[in-house]
Amino acid sequence: MAEHTNRTFICSVLFIDIVDYSRCMVADQIVLKERFNAVLSEAIAGVATDDRIILDTGDGAAVSFLGDPEDTLFAGMSLRDAVASYDVTSPPRLQIRVGVNLGPVRLVKDINGNPNIIGDGINVAQRVMSFAEPGQILVSRSYHEVMARLSEDYAKLFHYQGAMTDKHVREHEVYAIGPAPSNLQRTVPVPTPRQAMRFPNLLPLKFPKVNLRGWPEALAVNSKLLVAAPLAFTLIVGTGVIARSHRNADGAPKTVYLVATPGEAPSAEPAKGDAGEPAPRVEEPKVPPRVEDPRSSRRVKDAVAAPKAGAAIQAAKANAAEAAPKAQESETVATAPVSSQREATLNIVALPWAEVFVDGIRQGVTPPLRAIFLRPGKHRVELRNTSFPAHVQTVELKPGAELSITHRFRR
């Protein structure tokens, strides 16, 4: 209830007064007060504690219902019927009169720090109560209009009593609540009290026992893993570095040529297997017609020419008739095929950069690619850049000639 302090609500107020309370002796007042508290507690027992605020007025009480306005109606009729059926064999006799109003109230804290209500809602309820006779319940027009719209059974309970003026010269149209029929029911059923949440019996957690004797063996196994893990990592990284070193700048695998050492004549006899049978001949991969690096191309040419010279010297010393077939076979096995015509050089300059394709075969990226060695003849050169349209040019190269293509990509 503390969070609702200093807030204004539209609620229904039940104001109860004990008839002739101030005329009774103190001992009788105590008895009347005990009886009144008992019947009031029973009448509002079905209303949640957070939905009501009870104020003790000395000769009665004021109950503010913050929730359903039907709670006020049934609490007032229950209180009236309980007092009427109360045992009156032992004096003093308990009599009450009740006033009901629907209006604005503000929740504040009283001098003791307890919740209290002030405002026109409770003031009008007290004025309407002052017009009631002993054992009678009167309600204001505002409360009647709300309840009469909820149900026809509720509308039949109210009887118009006219307009009455209080001591402050303020008129109030009041309605009296007649006896309730036995089959009167609420439009909204009374919510059942919440059941306490029950938790299952919680058993203490059982932790596994730790065997300290087995720790040395576990640590020994872990030490082996600590040694093996770095070795495995080094092996994986080293394999990747070696594989990368055997590729060109554009990612294509490098071509390795087998070159015979000068001065040694390759054997003309075919290799034999373990069983003495000739081993199957492995065909050499076809050498692409291009070499990206001019220096590597010259080295290949020199390497190819060297075994030829060595084979010629060996052939001159041996029998001319036998040396020729051996030299020819040696050249076929150990050397790469060499074109009878001299290669031409094609220089490429492309800005900002381009992928170079010659006759549909990718040659690399320029820069760094600068020169391409090609067979003489016509070639289709295409320069591609993902940000610009491709440039296509057809060139005709002559043996040993050098030609340059310069292109700047523009939109």
Side-chain angles (χ1 to χ4, degrees):
M1 193 65 65
E3 64 271 13
H4 300 308
T5 306
N6 293 329
R7 291 183 58 188
T8 300
F9 294 87
I10 301 297
C11 65
S12 52
V13 181
L14 184 70
F15 206 102
I16 311 112
D17 179 62
I18 302 176
V19 179
D20 296 334
Y21 178 82
S22 58
R23 297 181 182 180
C24 297
M25 303 296 293
V26 175
D28 293 339
Q29 290 180 353
I30 296 175
V31 174
L32 290 175
K33 193 68 173 180
E34 292 177 352
R35 295 176 180 178
F36 173 76
N37 292 341
V39 294
L40 178 61
S41 299
E42 184 178 357
I44 63 175
V47 182
T49 306
D50 293 340
D51 292 341
R52 54 181 169 84
I53 299 178
I54 304 176
L55 300 181
D56 192 335
T57 60
D59 58 349
V63 184
S64 297
F65 295 87
L66 305 179
D68 196 337
E70 294 180 66
D71 294 338
T72 311
L73 175 64
F74 284 89
M77 292 190 299
S78 177
L79 179 63
R80 178 191 62 185
D81 297 341
V83 172
S85 60
Y86 200 85
D87 185 11
V88 294
T89 55
S90 57
R93 181 182 179 183
L94 177 62
Q95 288 184 311
I96 61 172
R97 49 184 177 178
V98 182
V100 180
N101 179 48
L102 180 66
V105 297
R106 177 179 286 272
L107 269 68
V108 296
K109 290 185 178 180
D110 59 11
I111 193 172
N112 297 320
N114 298 322
N116 194 359
I117 52 175
I118 59 175
D120 189 69
I122 190 172
N123 295 336
V124 173
Q126 192 273 339
R127 301 290 184 268
V128 172
M129 180 273 302
S130 64
F131 303 139
E133 299 293 334
Q136 187 180 32
I137 302 176
L138 293 182
V139 303
S140 65
R141 181 179 182 86
S142 59
Y143 184 79
H144 166 263
E145 290 181 351
V146 172
M147 296 302 297
R149 298 298 185 273
L150 294 180
S151 170
E152 294 183 359
D153 295 336
Y154 291 163
K156 296 177 182 179
L157 294 175
F158 299 98
H159 305 281
Y160 183 66
Q161 302 296 309
M164 300 183 181
T165 305
D166 60 16
K167 60 181 180 180
H168 299 289
V169 197
R170 181 179 177 181
E171 287 190 352
H172 304 276
E173 294 184 356
V174 296
Y175 297 79
I177 299 179
S182 58
N183 59 350
L184 182 64
Q185 296 181 355
R186 298 170 58 105
T187 58
V188 179
V190 179
T192 56
R194 299 178 181 177
Q195 296 181 355
M197 184 178 297
R198 297 181 180 179
F199 295 93
N201 296 329
L202 299 178
L203 299 178
L205 297 177
K206 295 183 179 180
F207 295 94
K209 296 182 179 179
V210 180
N211 186 9
L212 299 179
R213 297 180 180 179
W215 281 23
E217 298 178 0
L219 293 176
V221 175
N222 293 337
S223 63
K224 295 178 181 180
L225 294 177
L226 293 177
V227 175
L231 294 178
F233 176 76
T234 305
L235 179 60
I236 294 173
V237 175
T239 304
V241 172
I242 294 174
R244 184 177 180 85
S245 64
H246 282 76
R247 289 183 174 272
N248 295 324
D250 58 352
K254 292 183 178 179
T255 303
V256 180
Y257 299 95
L258 298 177
V259 181
T261 305
E264 296 182 0
S267 175
E269 298 181 359
K272 296 184 179 180
D274 297 337
E277 298 178 358
R281 183 171 181 178
V282 181
E283 295 183 0
E284 296 181 358
K286 295 182 179 180
V287 180
R290 63 181 179 84
V291 179
E292 296 180 5
D293 192 353
R295 293 175 293 179
S296 63
S297 177
R298 295 189 183 93
R299 287 197 296 268
V300 171
K301 292 181 180 180
D302 296 340
V304 172
K308 290 183 178 180
I313 296 173
Q314 294 293 335
K317 294 179 180 180
N319 191 346
E322 296 179 357
K326 293 181 180 180
Q328 184 178 1
E329 184 176 357
S330 173
E331 183 179 357
T332 304
V333 174
T335 62
V338 179
S339 175
S340 59
Q341 297 179 348
R342 291 184 299 170
E343 293 181 344
T345 304
L346 178 63
N347 297 320
I348 304 294
V349 178
L351 298 176
W353 63 272
E355 285 186 283
V356 182
F357 291 83
V358 177
D359 298 331
I361 300 176
R362 185 179 185 275
Q363 305 297 319
V365 180
T366 178
L369 178 63
R370 294 296 183 186
I372 303 175
F373 296 91
L374 302 173
R375 293 190 305 270
K378 289 186 178 182
H379 297 277
R380 183 179 183 272
V381 181
E382 182 178 1
L383 304 180
R384 298 180 185 177
N385 188 305
T386 56
S387 302
F388 304 93
H391 174 72
V392 180
Q393 184 175 345
T394 302
V395 296
E396 184 174 0
L397 302 177
K398 296 181 179 180
E402 185 174 354
L403 181 65
S404 299
I405 295 178
T406 303
H407 178 73
R408 178 185 293 274
F409 286 98
R410 293 185 175 86
R411 296 187 179 278

